[in-house]
Amino acid sequence: MCIIVHTCIELQQIQVISNMEGLTRSLIPISDEEVENVAEVTARAFFNTKSYNEIFRGTPETRVPQLAQLFSRNIGMIRQKEPGAIHCYYSDSSKSEVACSFVLIKSTVTFTLWEKVWAGLLTLVVLFGFQTFGRMMQASDWFDERIRLISEGREYFELQRMIVNPAYQGKGIGTRLLGEALKEADDAK
C-alpha cells in the first residue's frame, strides 16, 4: 500500500512510534468543536503556502478565515464518511490546544457530488466568490489528475494536511506523525 502526499518530501529513515508520548489523541469521531479547532490550526499552518496564496488571493488576514471555513467543511465531510481518518492530538486531556493533526484517507473512500454539496460546497461560492471558487476547483482537479497518474489504478492512502502547532515544533512530533501514518497504511495491507 502506498501513501500519496500532496507536498513533495524527502523521506529519511523514520522510526515508527505509535505512542505519541505526552499527547492525547481525540476520540473517534472528533466533535464539532474539535473540527473547528483543527480547521483553525490547519488554516494558520497553510495560509501562506504558494498554492493557497494563488487560490485565495488577498491578505493573510483574509486567507486564514477562508481556509478555516474550507478546512472545516472538508474535515466535517470526511468525519461523516470515514471518522477514523482524522488524527488529532492535544497537549493535554482537556483538549484545550491542538498540538498536531493529519488526515489519512484510503483511496476507496470517495465523495459524490451530492455529498460535497451537502457538506457546503455551494456555499463556498457565496463565501469566496466565483473566481476564488474556480481557482479552488482547478487546483482540486490538478491534484486529482496527478494522484490518478501516480497511483496507476492501485489502492493507496492519501495523507492530507499534516500539521504541527508551532508551539510543538522541533520536538520530533511531525516525524512521529509521519511514522504513524506509514505504519497505519502498512498495517492495512
Side-chain angles (χ1 to χ4, degrees):
M1 189 72 61
C2 70
I3 291 185
I4 294 178
V5 183
H6 280 219
T7 305
C8 296
I9 58 172
E10 181 180 326
L11 290 180
Q12 300 172 349
Q13 187 174 14
I14 294 175
Q15 180 181 7
V16 177
I17 303 171
S18 60
N19 179 13
M20 299 292 284
E21 297 92 7
L23 299 177
T24 303
R25 181 163 182 192
S26 178
L27 297 175
I28 299 171
I30 66 174
S31 69
D32 289 344
E33 183 179 341
E34 290 173 293
V35 167
E36 297 306 318
N37 290 341
V38 170
E40 178 64 31
V41 172
T42 305
R44 281 184 277 142
F46 283 90
F47 82 93
N48 212 21
T49 61
K50 188 174 181 178
S51 58
Y52 287 118
N53 277 334
E54 177 59 29
I55 295 167
F56 296 96
R57 297 173 181 162
T59 66
E61 293 78 24
T62 60
R63 276 195 306 275
V64 171
Q66 289 175 327
L67 284 173
Q69 185 69 241
L70 174 67
F71 294 150
S72 173
R73 308 265 175 162
N74 181 257
I75 292 166
M77 184 174 65
I78 292 168
R79 178 185 63 176
Q80 293 300 314
K81 195 161 206 173
E82 190 65 29
I86 303 166
H87 298 251
C88 181
Y89 293 88
Y90 293 89
S91 57
D92 57 33
S93 59
S94 70
K95 299 181 181 177
S96 59
E97 183 176 37
V98 175
C100 52
S101 71
F102 66 92
V103 174
L104 185 66
I105 194 158
K106 197 169 184 179
S107 60
T108 56
V109 178
T110 59
F111 297 94
T112 65
L113 179 58
W114 174 248
E115 288 169 319
K116 291 176 183 180
V117 168
W118 187 255
L121 182 68
L122 293 180
T123 62
L124 298 179
V125 174
V126 174
L127 293 171
F128 306 147
F130 284 106
Q131 289 182 334
T132 299
F133 184 76
R135 288 190 299 269
M136 190 169 48
M137 293 296 94
Q138 276 185 308
S140 177
D141 290 346
W142 185 87
F143 276 114
D144 289 347
E145 178 62 17
R146 296 308 167 280
I147 289 170
R148 188 188 65 71
L149 292 171
I150 292 167
S151 68
E152 298 176 335
R154 298 173 292 175
E155 285 188 4
Y156 60 88
F157 278 89
E158 186 177 344
L159 180 62
Q160 300 177 358
R161 292 181 299 278
M162 186 174 94
I163 60 103
V164 178
N165 187 323
Y168 298 92
Q169 292 176 2
K171 299 177 182 180
I173 292 172
T175 300
R176 293 190 312 212
L177 281 176
L178 185 55
E180 181 178 316
L182 291 170
K183 182 178 182 330
E184 185 175 324
D186 207 35
D187 290 348
K189 285 183 183 178

